[in-house]
Every structure is written in structure tokens, then in C-alpha cells.
Amino acid sequence: MSNTDVSTAHAPRILTRAEHEVSRKNISPAALRVLYGLKEAGFQAHLVGGGVRDLLLGGEPKDFDVATNATPAELRTVFRQCRLIGRRFVIAHVRYGDEIIEVTTFRGKGDALDIDREVEADGRILRDNVFGSMEEDALRRDFTINALYYNIDDFSVVDYVGGLDDLNARQLRLIGDPETRYREDPVRMLRAARFAGKLGFAIAPETEAPIERLANLLDGIPPARLFDDLLKLFLFGHAERSFDQLLRLKLFEHLFPQVELSEANLALIRAALRSTDERVGLGKPVTPAFVFAAILWSVYRQRLGTETDDSAIDAAADNVFLRASRRVAIPRRFSVVARDIWWMQQRMIVKSAARAKRVMRHPKFRAGFDFLLLRAGLNPALQPLARLWEQLQGAPAASDTSFAQASGEDVAAKPRPRNRRRRGPRPVVPGAGEAVAE
Ligand code: ATP
Ligand code: MG
């Protein structure tokens, strides 16, 4: 019998403080306050999930989650700065400074007698607030490596599901029967892609096998939840590898069905994700707008066709975000920036120094320029334009003369025939008008 069989009780494997590397000095002060606050109030308190996993792997956790036997009502009495968040199950957010610690009450198995649990006909769990023991809580978690507990009482690490072995083997294994677990919550398929990308772990064959067959269950997940999970996939320094996993597991097409998976489209998305990862690595700010601008660029370009005026750009962008939001709810504050980035691709085909200066003053100019660089990296025809903008930024007070010089020298533009001037301004970069449609 497998040691992840949900119906069977097991003695846990326990590593004493001397047998593992999790140290309090690597746990955030806020998480420690929550753990000790619970302990002092007479409750059990454990760090669980990514915090324990990443510390055991020698990494730096993104956040800390705490599991306890205190009920949400009791948590309110222990922590003044506590908010109860009710989605699928009640979670308490305890805030210290800018840090929020997620605290959950041990969740139970949920058998036929439970009243506070709702299951859809297809097996999806909608509401799930049955409290239970720590062991039951472990069995309800997703992957074995996410179900390890660090006990603040004696600093031991507690493993009910074989998570320590899987950490050593560097593999992701769902707890229990994989198909049932994906049906309960199809987002676990995205989580498999995320952890495989982030940790570089293999997905155990039984855990991976049902994904292709069940991927369409993602179509029934609320778009706002998919957006949340996409942020976790793409904004934490492992976006490119997570994307590769999404493609490999054929999940990406369920998130963005309108994006054609051609080599050119994938190359642009991958370049955007790589640049996002590099920025995260350097501690620079990143925005989901840039990532969504890249993912949906080909759809937008196709929709826009050869039009160039503002109203056509607006209409095309409206249409793209409207269709995309049926699957992934991209909040307006990000879609407006993505639209600016797209708009700027057109407006960076400059016709005069005055216009160039105006484009450069746009608050999202830098993002638009970075996007142009990405495109130019994949399309040599855009390189003169990208170089020109690079130069212009070095001389922000450029006069028309220096502007003309910069463009002339840089792109080696042929002198224009005089009679053409009467027809109005042209792009300073020869051919750039055509080159935008990659
Ligand atoms: P990260 O490093 O991204 O924070 P994490 O493993 O901590 O990774 P969270 O989304 O913070 O992931 O969730 C915390 C823990 O809650 C997980 O480790 C897992 O034990 C449990 N969990 C989260 N989502 C699910 C889910 N959909 N199904 C089952 N358990 C889940
Ligand atoms: Mg976490």
C-alpha cells in the first residue's frame, strides 16, 4: 500500500532539530511571531508548505504559511491584526508590518457526515471547512513536498506522506489518487507545472499521466483564480521554465486558446519571460502588463492588420482583452499598460524629433522601448529602429538636427529625394513601417 493512501493512518517520520537544516534565523520575524503567539496561547503551531520545502532545499521562501489547530474564531482572539478571508476555505491573514502570514486551521478528511462541505457533480470541491487533525491536514495538501510541517514546539520536521523522500529524489508527487485530486481542484495541474519549473523537479509518472486527459477541466476555473496563478507562474524568477512546463503539459492552450503556438510567437513570449526572470534576479520591479503584452502580441497584431491609427489600435486591443478575459481575468490596471506598450510600438516609428520627444515623455515609454528591444532581438529588420531609440535616450534634449544626425548616422539612411518631402513626413528608419508585423 502506498504511503500516500488517503484512507490510512500512518505514524509520521520525524526529523529532530539536529537532523534537518530548517533554522529559525531563516524564518521571517512575522512568521515567528505567529508561531510563538499560537504556542503561547496553548495551540499547536507549524510552518507548512513552501516555507518548509524551500528552507529544506536551502532556498529562500517566497512567503510563510502556518497551520494550527486553533479555529478561525480562536485565531481572532489570539491576533488582533487578523482578517478572515473566505474563499474555498477560510484562511486567516495575520499582518505584521508589510508582511502577511497565512494561517489555516488543520483541515479534515470530510466524509459523508460533514455538513460544511460542498462538492460539485464533477468532483470539484467548492467549499471546504471541515476541521481535522494535523495528519488529515497533511493528506489534503497537494504535493508530498508541500505537506511537511516544522513544529515550533520542538523544532522538528514532521512528514506524513513521504515528502522528505520526494524532496531527496527531487520529484513532485500528488498525495492520494492523482485523477481524483485534479478533479477536486484542476488548478493543481498548473501548480504541478509551476513547481516543476521553479524547483526543476520531475513530475512523478502517475502524477503527470492524467494531466493531458484532464487539462480541459481548467476551462471551468474562474478567470480571476487563473490570473492569480499566472502571477505565481510568471513573476517570481522562474517564468521561462514554468512556461516550458505549461507547453510540455499542454496546459498553456487552455489559458490562452487564442494564441497560435507558432515558433515566432513562442520565441517572443519566451524572450519576455526570460527578461522578466532576469529583472527578478537583479531585484528590479516587474509588471504582469509586460508579460501579457508579449503573450497576446500576436493576437493583437493579427487583429490590427495593417491599420495604424489610434482608433484602430484601441479597437484591436479592446477585442483582444475582451476575448482573453473569458479565460484569464487580467485586471484593467495591467491591461491599460499592456495597451500602452502596444500603442507605443506603432508610435516609435518616429517621423520627427518633436514626436520622438513626445513618445519618450510617455510614462510607460521604458516598457514600450523594452518591448521593442525584445522584438528587435527576434527580427533584424527592427534593429535600426531599436538602435535609434537607444541613441535618442542618450540625448533626451535632441534638437531636430541632432535627431536627424542620430538617425542618419545610426541607420545609414539614404538621403531622401527632395520631391518626397512634400508628401509629408516619413519614418526616419527605412522600411520600419513594414517591419512591425513580425
Ligand atoms: P510558494 O512558494 O509559491 O508560496 P507554496 O507551496 O507555499 O508555494 P501556496 O500557494 O503558498 O504554495 O500554498 C501553501 C500550501 O497550501 C501548499 O504548500 C500546499 O500545502 C497547500 N495548497 C495550496 N494550494 C493547494 C491546492 N490547490 N490543493 C491542495 N493544497 C494546496
Ligand atoms: Mg506559500
Side-chain angles (χ1 to χ4, degrees), residues 48-51 53-54 61-63 65 88-89 102 107 140-143 146-147 181 185 187-188 191 194-195 198 225 232:
V48 67
R53 179 195 68 220
D54 293 349
K62 161 162 124 342
D63 50 41
D65 303 296
R88 277 169 56 253
F89 38 84
E102 257 185 35
R107 277 181 288 144
R140 303 296 309 283
R141 292 181 179 272
D142 52 1
F143 300 96
N146 287 347
R181 302 306 312 281
D185 182 5
V187 167
R188 289 173 185 149
R191 292 175 62 86
R194 167 151 71 97
F195 295 123
K198 167 176 165 152
R225 185 156 181 234
K232 296 186 198 167

PDB file of all heavy atoms in Angstrom, residues 48-51 53-54 61-63 65 88-89 102 107 140-143 146-147 181 185 187-188 191 194-195 198 225 232, ligand 1:
ATOM      1  N   VAL A  48       4.308  25.380   7.355  1.00  0.00           N
ATOM      2  CA  VAL A  48       3.976  24.319   6.401  1.00  0.00           C
ATOM      3  C   VAL A  48       4.093  24.858   4.977  1.00  0.00           C
ATOM      4  O   VAL A  48       4.225  26.077   4.783  1.00  0.00           O
ATOM      5  CB  VAL A  48       2.537  23.784   6.681  1.00  0.00           C
ATOM      6  CG1 VAL A  48       1.470  24.829   6.374  1.00  0.00           C
ATOM      7  CG2 VAL A  48       2.258  22.487   5.923  1.00  0.00           C
ATOM      8  N   GLY A  49       4.063  23.963   4.014  1.00  0.00           N
ATOM      9  CA  GLY A  49       4.027  24.397   2.616  1.00  0.00           C
ATOM     10  C   GLY A  49       5.381  24.868   2.108  1.00  0.00           C
ATOM     11  O   GLY A  49       6.432  24.371   2.538  1.00  0.00           O
ATOM     12  N   GLY A  50       5.324  25.884   1.224  1.00  0.00           N
ATOM     13  CA  GLY A  50       6.535  26.336   0.541  1.00  0.00           C
ATOM     14  C   GLY A  50       7.645  26.786   1.488  1.00  0.00           C
ATOM     15  O   GLY A  50       8.823  26.626   1.166  1.00  0.00           O
ATOM     16  N   GLY A  51       7.265  27.346   2.637  1.00  0.00           N
ATOM     17  CA  GLY A  51       8.273  27.817   3.580  1.00  0.00           C
ATOM     18  C   GLY A  51       9.188  26.680   4.035  1.00  0.00           C
ATOM     19  O   GLY A  51      10.416  26.793   3.977  1.00  0.00           O
ATOM     20  N   ARG A  53       9.412  23.610   2.660  1.00  0.00           N
ATOM     21  CA  ARG A  53      10.010  22.985   1.465  1.00  0.00           C
ATOM     22  C   ARG A  53      11.258  23.752   1.019  1.00  0.00           C
ATOM     23  O   ARG A  53      12.326  23.168   0.846  1.00  0.00           O
ATOM     24  CB  ARG A  53       8.958  23.003   0.344  1.00  0.00           C
ATOM     25  CG  ARG A  53       9.411  22.430  -0.973  1.00  0.00           C
ATOM     26  CD  ARG A  53       8.432  22.845  -2.078  1.00  0.00           C
ATOM     27  NE  ARG A  53       8.488  24.280  -2.344  1.00  0.00           N
ATOM     28  CZ  ARG A  53       7.435  25.055  -2.598  1.00  0.00           C
ATOM     29  NH1 ARG A  53       6.233  24.555  -2.640  1.00  0.00           N
ATOM     30  NH2 ARG A  53       7.604  26.354  -2.817  1.00  0.00           N
ATOM     31  N   ASP A  54      11.113  25.066   0.868  1.00  0.00           N
ATOM     32  CA  ASP A  54      12.228  25.848   0.333  1.00  0.00           C
ATOM     33  C   ASP A  54      13.379  25.941   1.334  1.00  0.00           C
ATOM     34  O   ASP A  54      14.548  25.943   0.935  1.00  0.00           O
ATOM     35  CB  ASP A  54      11.747  27.243  -0.097  1.00  0.00           C
ATOM     36  CG  ASP A  54      10.796  27.169  -1.296  1.00  0.00           C
ATOM     37  OD1 ASP A  54      10.687  26.089  -1.912  1.00  0.00           O
ATOM     38  OD2 ASP A  54      10.146  28.185  -1.609  1.00  0.00           O
ATOM     39  N   PRO A  61      12.294  31.142   0.975  1.00  0.00           N
ATOM     40  CA  PRO A  61      10.843  31.051   0.723  1.00  0.00           C
ATOM     41  C   PRO A  61      10.256  32.374   0.248  1.00  0.00           C
ATOM     42  O   PRO A  61      10.708  33.443   0.643  1.00  0.00           O
ATOM     43  CB  PRO A  61      10.275  30.681   2.098  1.00  0.00           C
ATOM     44  CG  PRO A  61      11.413  30.118   2.861  1.00  0.00           C
ATOM     45  CD  PRO A  61      12.636  30.814   2.352  1.00  0.00           C
ATOM     46  N   LYS A  62       9.248  32.253  -0.611  1.00  0.00           N
ATOM     47  CA  LYS A  62       8.542  33.438  -1.121  1.00  0.00           C
ATOM     48  C   LYS A  62       7.618  33.972  -0.037  1.00  0.00           C
ATOM     49  O   LYS A  62       7.432  35.168   0.089  1.00  0.00           O
ATOM     50  CB  LYS A  62       7.783  32.968  -2.361  1.00  0.00           C
ATOM     51  CG  LYS A  62       6.645  33.796  -2.854  1.00  0.00           C
ATOM     52  CD  LYS A  62       6.364  33.379  -4.291  1.00  0.00           C
ATOM     53  CE  LYS A  62       4.977  32.923  -4.640  1.00  0.00           C
ATOM     54  NZ  LYS A  62       4.015  32.511  -3.681  1.00  0.00           N
ATOM     55  N   ASP A  63       7.012  33.099   0.724  1.00  0.00           N
ATOM     56  CA  ASP A  63       6.161  33.515   1.840  1.00  0.00           C
ATOM     57  C   ASP A  63       6.069  32.352   2.833  1.00  0.00           C
ATOM     58  O   ASP A  63       6.581  31.273   2.572  1.00  0.00           O
ATOM     59  CB  ASP A  63       4.757  33.916   1.347  1.00  0.00           C
ATOM     60  CG  ASP A  63       4.148  32.866   0.439  1.00  0.00           C
ATOM     61  OD1 ASP A  63       4.290  31.654   0.733  1.00  0.00           O
ATOM     62  OD2 ASP A  63       3.513  33.243  -0.565  1.00  0.00           O
ATOM     63  N   ASP A  65       3.574  30.046   5.370  1.00  0.00           N
ATOM     64  CA  ASP A  65       2.226  29.622   5.728  1.00  0.00           C
ATOM     65  C   ASP A  65       2.298  28.860   7.042  1.00  0.00           C
ATOM     66  O   ASP A  65       3.244  28.121   7.288  1.00  0.00           O
ATOM     67  CB  ASP A  65       1.652  28.712   4.633  1.00  0.00           C
ATOM     68  CG  ASP A  65       1.659  29.400   3.280  1.00  0.00           C
ATOM     69  OD1 ASP A  65       0.963  30.413   3.132  1.00  0.00           O
ATOM     70  OD2 ASP A  65       2.394  28.943   2.380  1.00  0.00           O
ATOM     71  N   ARG A  88     -12.389  29.269  -0.956  1.00  0.00           N
ATOM     72  CA  ARG A  88     -12.821  27.875  -0.871  1.00  0.00           C
ATOM     73  C   ARG A  88     -12.800  27.388   0.566  1.00  0.00           C
ATOM     74  O   ARG A  88     -13.631  26.605   0.983  1.00  0.00           O
ATOM     75  CB  ARG A  88     -11.978  27.003  -1.778  1.00  0.00           C
ATOM     76  CG  ARG A  88     -12.485  27.052  -3.199  1.00  0.00           C
ATOM     77  CD  ARG A  88     -11.541  26.435  -4.182  1.00  0.00           C
ATOM     78  NE  ARG A  88     -11.195  25.068  -3.851  1.00  0.00           N
ATOM     79  CZ  ARG A  88     -10.004  24.713  -3.371  1.00  0.00           C
ATOM     80  NH1 ARG A  88      -9.085  25.601  -3.162  1.00  0.00           N
ATOM     81  NH2 ARG A  88      -9.752  23.465  -3.115  1.00  0.00           N
ATOM     82  N   PHE A  89     -11.843  27.834   1.315  1.00  0.00           N
ATOM     83  CA  PHE A  89     -11.864  27.547   2.743  1.00  0.00           C
ATOM     84  C   PHE A  89     -11.379  28.796   3.462  1.00  0.00           C
ATOM     85  O   PHE A  89     -10.721  29.644   2.878  1.00  0.00           O
ATOM     86  CB  PHE A  89     -10.997  26.333   3.088  1.00  0.00           C
ATOM     87  CG  PHE A  89      -9.740  26.240   2.304  1.00  0.00           C
ATOM     88  CD1 PHE A  89      -8.607  26.941   2.692  1.00  0.00           C
ATOM     89  CD2 PHE A  89      -9.681  25.475   1.149  1.00  0.00           C
ATOM     90  CE1 PHE A  89      -7.433  26.866   1.954  1.00  0.00           C
ATOM     91  CE2 PHE A  89      -8.512  25.397   0.401  1.00  0.00           C
ATOM     92  CZ  PHE A  89      -7.391  26.083   0.801  1.00  0.00           C
ATOM     93  N   GLU A 102      -0.200  33.677   6.198  1.00  0.00           N
ATOM     94  CA  GLU A 102      -1.451  32.950   6.012  1.00  0.00           C
ATOM     95  C   GLU A 102      -1.542  31.841   7.039  1.00  0.00           C
ATOM     96  O   GLU A 102      -0.650  30.987   7.114  1.00  0.00           O
ATOM     97  CB  GLU A 102      -1.479  32.320   4.604  1.00  0.00           C
ATOM     98  CG  GLU A 102      -2.365  33.102   3.676  1.00  0.00           C
ATOM     99  CD  GLU A 102      -2.531  32.464   2.317  1.00  0.00           C
ATOM    100  OE1 GLU A 102      -2.574  31.222   2.214  1.00  0.00           O
ATOM    101  OE2 GLU A 102      -2.631  33.241   1.367  1.00  0.00           O
ATOM    102  N   ARG A 107      -7.226  21.028   8.272  1.00  0.00           N
ATOM    103  CA  ARG A 107      -8.459  20.625   7.588  1.00  0.00           C
ATOM    104  C   ARG A 107      -8.646  19.118   7.674  1.00  0.00           C
ATOM    105  O   ARG A 107      -7.685  18.359   7.627  1.00  0.00           O
ATOM    106  CB  ARG A 107      -8.407  21.056   6.124  1.00  0.00           C
ATOM    107  CG  ARG A 107      -8.830  22.505   5.974  1.00  0.00           C
ATOM    108  CD  ARG A 107      -8.813  22.912   4.545  1.00  0.00           C
ATOM    109  NE  ARG A 107      -7.450  23.047   4.071  1.00  0.00           N
ATOM    110  CZ  ARG A 107      -7.059  22.729   2.856  1.00  0.00           C
ATOM    111  NH1 ARG A 107      -7.909  22.238   1.998  1.00  0.00           N
ATOM    112  NH2 ARG A 107      -5.807  22.892   2.491  1.00  0.00           N
ATOM    113  N   ARG A 140      -4.681  16.378   2.851  1.00  0.00           N
ATOM    114  CA  ARG A 140      -5.478  17.261   1.992  1.00  0.00           C
ATOM    115  C   ARG A 140      -4.630  18.206   1.156  1.00  0.00           C
ATOM    116  O   ARG A 140      -5.147  18.940   0.327  1.00  0.00           O
ATOM    117  CB  ARG A 140      -6.420  18.102   2.853  1.00  0.00           C
ATOM    118  CG  ARG A 140      -7.357  17.315   3.727  1.00  0.00           C
ATOM    119  CD  ARG A 140      -8.304  16.515   2.886  1.00  0.00           C
ATOM    120  NE  ARG A 140      -8.911  17.391   1.894  1.00  0.00           N
ATOM    121  CZ  ARG A 140      -9.882  18.245   2.174  1.00  0.00           C
ATOM    122  NH1 ARG A 140     -10.388  18.274   3.381  1.00  0.00           N
ATOM    123  NH2 ARG A 140     -10.355  19.023   1.255  1.00  0.00           N
ATOM    124  N   ARG A 141      -3.338  18.232   1.414  1.00  0.00           N
ATOM    125  CA  ARG A 141      -2.473  19.144   0.659  1.00  0.00           C
ATOM    126  C   ARG A 141      -2.177  18.562  -0.719  1.00  0.00           C
ATOM    127  O   ARG A 141      -2.576  17.440  -1.006  1.00  0.00           O
ATOM    128  CB  ARG A 141      -1.210  19.436   1.471  1.00  0.00           C
ATOM    129  CG  ARG A 141      -1.584  20.258   2.682  1.00  0.00           C
ATOM    130  CD  ARG A 141      -0.477  20.652   3.576  1.00  0.00           C
ATOM    131  NE  ARG A 141      -1.063  21.450   4.651  1.00  0.00           N
ATOM    132  CZ  ARG A 141      -1.253  22.762   4.593  1.00  0.00           C
ATOM    133  NH1 ARG A 141      -0.832  23.447   3.553  1.00  0.00           N
ATOM    134  NH2 ARG A 141      -1.830  23.393   5.592  1.00  0.00           N
ATOM    135  N   ASP A 142      -1.524  19.349  -1.584  1.00  0.00           N
ATOM    136  CA  ASP A 142      -1.379  18.884  -2.966  1.00  0.00           C
ATOM    137  C   ASP A 142      -0.210  17.905  -3.135  1.00  0.00           C
ATOM    138  O   ASP A 142      -0.412  16.706  -3.268  1.00  0.00           O
ATOM    139  CB  ASP A 142      -1.352  20.062  -3.955  1.00  0.00           C
ATOM    140  CG  ASP A 142      -0.336  21.151  -3.607  1.00  0.00           C
ATOM    141  OD1 ASP A 142       0.391  21.018  -2.607  1.00  0.00           O
ATOM    142  OD2 ASP A 142      -0.267  22.146  -4.361  1.00  0.00           O
ATOM    143  N   PHE A 143       1.012  18.405  -3.114  1.00  0.00           N
ATOM    144  CA  PHE A 143       2.171  17.546  -3.370  1.00  0.00           C
ATOM    145  C   PHE A 143       2.830  17.145  -2.061  1.00  0.00           C
ATOM    146  O   PHE A 143       2.778  17.904  -1.079  1.00  0.00           O
ATOM    147  CB  PHE A 143       3.174  18.269  -4.279  1.00  0.00           C
ATOM    148  CG  PHE A 143       2.564  18.637  -5.593  1.00  0.00           C
ATOM    149  CD1 PHE A 143       2.046  19.905  -5.809  1.00  0.00           C
ATOM    150  CD2 PHE A 143       2.438  17.689  -6.601  1.00  0.00           C
ATOM    151  CE1 PHE A 143       1.428  20.230  -7.012  1.00  0.00           C
ATOM    152  CE2 PHE A 143       1.823  18.005  -7.799  1.00  0.00           C
ATOM    153  CZ  PHE A 143       1.315  19.272  -8.006  1.00  0.00           C
ATOM    154  N   ASN A 146       4.965  19.549  -0.312  1.00  0.00           N
ATOM    155  CA  ASN A 146       4.289  20.723   0.258  1.00  0.00           C
ATOM    156  C   ASN A 146       3.571  20.386   1.555  1.00  0.00           C
ATOM    157  O   ASN A 146       2.853  21.221   2.101  1.00  0.00           O
ATOM    158  CB  ASN A 146       3.255  21.285  -0.731  1.00  0.00           C
ATOM    159  CG  ASN A 146       3.911  21.999  -1.889  1.00  0.00           C
ATOM    160  OD1 ASN A 146       5.094  22.291  -1.837  1.00  0.00           O
ATOM    161  ND2 ASN A 146       3.141  22.272  -2.937  1.00  0.00           N
ATOM    162  N   ALA A 147       3.719  19.152   2.016  1.00  0.00           N
ATOM    163  CA  ALA A 147       2.976  18.720   3.203  1.00  0.00           C
ATOM    164  C   ALA A 147       3.933  18.384   4.348  1.00  0.00           C
ATOM    165  O   ALA A 147       3.707  17.466   5.127  1.00  0.00           O
ATOM    166  CB  ALA A 147       2.102  17.518   2.846  1.00  0.00           C
ATOM    167  N   ARG A 181      -7.603  13.991  -7.267  1.00  0.00           N
ATOM    168  CA  ARG A 181      -7.093  15.264  -6.748  1.00  0.00           C
ATOM    169  C   ARG A 181      -7.173  16.381  -7.789  1.00  0.00           C
ATOM    170  O   ARG A 181      -7.423  17.527  -7.467  1.00  0.00           O
ATOM    171  CB  ARG A 181      -5.640  15.113  -6.246  1.00  0.00           C
ATOM    172  CG  ARG A 181      -5.415  14.066  -5.159  1.00  0.00           C
ATOM    173  CD  ARG A 181      -6.273  14.182  -3.917  1.00  0.00           C
ATOM    174  NE  ARG A 181      -6.392  15.455  -3.273  1.00  0.00           N
ATOM    175  CZ  ARG A 181      -5.498  16.008  -2.456  1.00  0.00           C
ATOM    176  NH1 ARG A 181      -4.368  15.391  -2.170  1.00  0.00           N
ATOM    177  NH2 ARG A 181      -5.724  17.182  -1.889  1.00  0.00           N
ATOM    178  N   ASP A 185      -9.649  19.826  -7.710  1.00  0.00           N
ATOM    179  CA  ASP A 185      -9.145  21.179  -7.943  1.00  0.00           C
ATOM    180  C   ASP A 185      -8.182  21.164  -9.135  1.00  0.00           C
ATOM    181  O   ASP A 185      -6.986  20.894  -8.982  1.00  0.00           O
ATOM    182  CB  ASP A 185      -8.433  21.704  -6.699  1.00  0.00           C
ATOM    183  CG  ASP A 185      -7.932  23.127  -6.909  1.00  0.00           C
ATOM    184  OD1 ASP A 185      -8.224  23.716  -7.972  1.00  0.00           O
ATOM    185  OD2 ASP A 185      -7.240  23.647  -6.011  1.00  0.00           O
ATOM    186  N   VAL A 187      -6.717  23.381 -10.674  1.00  0.00           N
ATOM    187  CA  VAL A 187      -5.568  24.296 -10.605  1.00  0.00           C
ATOM    188  C   VAL A 187      -4.303  23.545 -10.153  1.00  0.00           C
ATOM    189  O   VAL A 187      -3.181  23.984 -10.392  1.00  0.00           O
ATOM    190  CB  VAL A 187      -5.893  25.494  -9.685  1.00  0.00           C
ATOM    191  CG1 VAL A 187      -4.654  26.299  -9.333  1.00  0.00           C
ATOM    192  CG2 VAL A 187      -6.914  26.399 -10.374  1.00  0.00           C
ATOM    193  N   ARG A 188      -4.492  22.393  -9.532  1.00  0.00           N
ATOM    194  CA  ARG A 188      -3.310  21.600  -9.142  1.00  0.00           C
ATOM    195  C   ARG A 188      -2.461  21.232 -10.354  1.00  0.00           C
ATOM    196  O   ARG A 188      -1.261  21.004 -10.227  1.00  0.00           O
ATOM    197  CB  ARG A 188      -3.754  20.340  -8.376  1.00  0.00           C
ATOM    198  CG  ARG A 188      -4.287  20.702  -6.993  1.00  0.00           C
ATOM    199  CD  ARG A 188      -4.893  19.531  -6.243  1.00  0.00           C
ATOM    200  NE  ARG A 188      -5.488  20.006  -4.989  1.00  0.00           N
ATOM    201  CZ  ARG A 188      -6.528  19.471  -4.392  1.00  0.00           C
ATOM    202  NH1 ARG A 188      -7.108  18.392  -4.901  1.00  0.00           N
ATOM    203  NH2 ARG A 188      -6.991  19.982  -3.268  1.00  0.00           N
ATOM    204  N   ARG A 191      -0.257  24.080 -10.758  1.00  0.00           N
ATOM    205  CA  ARG A 191       0.728  24.053  -9.676  1.00  0.00           C
ATOM    206  C   ARG A 191       1.828  23.035  -9.973  1.00  0.00           C
ATOM    207  O   ARG A 191       2.990  23.267  -9.667  1.00  0.00           O
ATOM    208  CB  ARG A 191       0.044  23.773  -8.327  1.00  0.00           C
ATOM    209  CG  ARG A 191      -0.852  24.955  -7.880  1.00  0.00           C
ATOM    210  CD  ARG A 191      -1.641  24.647  -6.600  1.00  0.00           C
ATOM    211  NE  ARG A 191      -0.802  24.377  -5.441  1.00  0.00           N
ATOM    212  CZ  ARG A 191      -0.309  25.311  -4.618  1.00  0.00           C
ATOM    213  NH1 ARG A 191      -0.561  26.581  -4.830  1.00  0.00           N
ATOM    214  NH2 ARG A 191       0.429  24.958  -3.583  1.00  0.00           N
ATOM    215  N   ARG A 194       4.098  24.754 -12.264  1.00  0.00           N
ATOM    216  CA  ARG A 194       4.841  25.800 -11.558  1.00  0.00           C
ATOM    217  C   ARG A 194       5.986  25.228 -10.724  1.00  0.00           C
ATOM    218  O   ARG A 194       7.121  25.684 -10.807  1.00  0.00           O
ATOM    219  CB  ARG A 194       3.889  26.589 -10.653  1.00  0.00           C
ATOM    220  CG  ARG A 194       4.615  27.487  -9.651  1.00  0.00           C
ATOM    221  CD  ARG A 194       3.796  28.685  -9.294  1.00  0.00           C
ATOM    222  NE  ARG A 194       2.648  28.365  -8.458  1.00  0.00           N
ATOM    223  CZ  ARG A 194       2.644  28.493  -7.131  1.00  0.00           C
ATOM    224  NH1 ARG A 194       3.739  28.888  -6.508  1.00  0.00           N
ATOM    225  NH2 ARG A 194       1.560  28.222  -6.441  1.00  0.00           N
ATOM    226  N   PHE A 195       5.687  24.223  -9.920  1.00  0.00           N
ATOM    227  CA  PHE A 195       6.746  23.689  -9.053  1.00  0.00           C
ATOM    228  C   PHE A 195       7.801  22.957  -9.876  1.00  0.00           C
ATOM    229  O   PHE A 195       8.988  23.005  -9.543  1.00  0.00           O
ATOM    230  CB  PHE A 195       6.160  22.790  -7.956  1.00  0.00           C
ATOM    231  CG  PHE A 195       5.286  23.549  -6.988  1.00  0.00           C
ATOM    232  CD1 PHE A 195       3.963  23.187  -6.775  1.00  0.00           C
ATOM    233  CD2 PHE A 195       5.780  24.655  -6.308  1.00  0.00           C
ATOM    234  CE1 PHE A 195       3.152  23.898  -5.896  1.00  0.00           C
ATOM    235  CE2 PHE A 195       4.980  25.377  -5.425  1.00  0.00           C
ATOM    236  CZ  PHE A 195       3.664  24.998  -5.219  1.00  0.00           C
ATOM    237  N   LYS A 198       9.824  25.890 -11.204  1.00  0.00           N
ATOM    238  CA  LYS A 198      10.542  26.623 -10.162  1.00  0.00           C
ATOM    239  C   LYS A 198      11.663  25.786  -9.542  1.00  0.00           C
ATOM    240  O   LYS A 198      12.768  26.256  -9.345  1.00  0.00           O
ATOM    241  CB  LYS A 198       9.539  27.057  -9.081  1.00  0.00           C
ATOM    242  CG  LYS A 198      10.162  27.561  -7.796  1.00  0.00           C
ATOM    243  CD  LYS A 198       9.116  28.059  -6.813  1.00  0.00           C
ATOM    244  CE  LYS A 198       9.714  28.204  -5.428  1.00  0.00           C
ATOM    245  NZ  LYS A 198       9.066  29.214  -4.600  1.00  0.00           N
ATOM    246  N   ARG A 225      -9.196  33.398 -10.638  1.00  0.00           N
ATOM    247  CA  ARG A 225      -8.266  32.474  -9.974  1.00  0.00           C
ATOM    248  C   ARG A 225      -7.122  32.118 -10.914  1.00  0.00           C
ATOM    249  O   ARG A 225      -5.970  32.000 -10.492  1.00  0.00           O
ATOM    250  CB  ARG A 225      -9.029  31.221  -9.524  1.00  0.00           C
ATOM    251  CG  ARG A 225      -8.143  30.300  -8.742  1.00  0.00           C
ATOM    252  CD  ARG A 225      -8.869  29.368  -7.785  1.00  0.00           C
ATOM    253  NE  ARG A 225      -7.881  28.568  -7.088  1.00  0.00           N
ATOM    254  CZ  ARG A 225      -7.895  27.229  -7.041  1.00  0.00           C
ATOM    255  NH1 ARG A 225      -8.892  26.566  -7.592  1.00  0.00           N
ATOM    256  NH2 ARG A 225      -6.938  26.577  -6.417  1.00  0.00           N
ATOM    257  N   LYS A 232       1.798  33.800 -10.085  1.00  0.00           N
ATOM    258  CA  LYS A 232       2.764  32.960  -9.367  1.00  0.00           C
ATOM    259  C   LYS A 232       3.669  32.205 -10.345  1.00  0.00           C
ATOM    260  O   LYS A 232       4.812  31.889 -10.041  1.00  0.00           O
ATOM    261  CB  LYS A 232       2.038  31.968  -8.461  1.00  0.00           C
ATOM    262  CG  LYS A 232       1.247  32.653  -7.352  1.00  0.00           C
ATOM    263  CD  LYS A 232       0.675  31.609  -6.417  1.00  0.00           C
ATOM    264  CE  LYS A 232      -0.454  32.147  -5.567  1.00  0.00           C
ATOM    265  NZ  LYS A 232      -1.181  31.067  -4.904  1.00  0.00           N
TER     266      LYS A 232
HETATM  267  P1  ATP B   1       5.037  29.162  -2.937  1.00  0.00           P
HETATM  268  O1  ATP B   1       6.481  29.016  -2.735  1.00  0.00           O
HETATM  269  O2  ATP B   1       4.700  29.505  -4.326  1.00  0.00           O
HETATM  270  O3  ATP B   1       4.343  30.032  -1.932  1.00  0.00           O
HETATM  271  P2  ATP B   1       3.560  27.080  -1.663  1.00  0.00           P
HETATM  272  O4  ATP B   1       3.731  25.585  -1.718  1.00  0.00           O
HETATM  273  O5  ATP B   1       3.767  27.714  -0.338  1.00  0.00           O
HETATM  274  O6  ATP B   1       4.477  27.672  -2.774  1.00  0.00           O
HETATM  275  P3  ATP B   1       0.984  28.284  -1.626  1.00  0.00           P
HETATM  276  O7  ATP B   1       0.099  28.589  -2.773  1.00  0.00           O
HETATM  277  O8  ATP B   1       1.547  29.397  -0.816  1.00  0.00           O
HETATM  278  O9  ATP B   1       2.128  27.373  -2.210  1.00  0.00           O
HETATM  279  O10 ATP B   1       0.175  27.294  -0.692  1.00  0.00           O
HETATM  280  C1  ATP B   1       0.645  26.902   0.587  1.00  0.00           C
HETATM  281  C2  ATP B   1       0.371  25.439   0.831  1.00  0.00           C
HETATM  282  O11 ATP B   1      -1.039  25.196   0.821  1.00  0.00           O
HETATM  283  C3  ATP B   1       0.928  24.499  -0.231  1.00  0.00           C
HETATM  284  O12 ATP B   1       2.268  24.196   0.013  1.00  0.00           O
HETATM  285  C4  ATP B   1       0.021  23.301  -0.078  1.00  0.00           C
HETATM  286  O13 ATP B   1       0.389  22.535   1.027  1.00  0.00           O
HETATM  287  C5  ATP B   1      -1.322  23.947   0.226  1.00  0.00           C
HETATM  288  N1  ATP B   1      -2.091  24.199  -1.012  1.00  0.00           N
HETATM  289  C6  ATP B   1      -2.122  25.332  -1.728  1.00  0.00           C
HETATM  290  N2  ATP B   1      -2.936  25.220  -2.782  1.00  0.00           N
HETATM  291  C7  ATP B   1      -3.434  23.968  -2.740  1.00  0.00           C
HETATM  292  C8  ATP B   1      -4.339  23.250  -3.567  1.00  0.00           C
HETATM  293  N3  ATP B   1      -4.866  23.795  -4.653  1.00  0.00           N
HETATM  294  N4  ATP B   1      -4.639  21.978  -3.204  1.00  0.00           N
HETATM  295  C9  ATP B   1      -4.091  21.431  -2.089  1.00  0.00           C
HETATM  296  N5  ATP B   1      -3.242  22.058  -1.302  1.00  0.00           N
HETATM  297  C10 ATP B   1      -2.905  23.306  -1.607  1.00  0.00           C
END
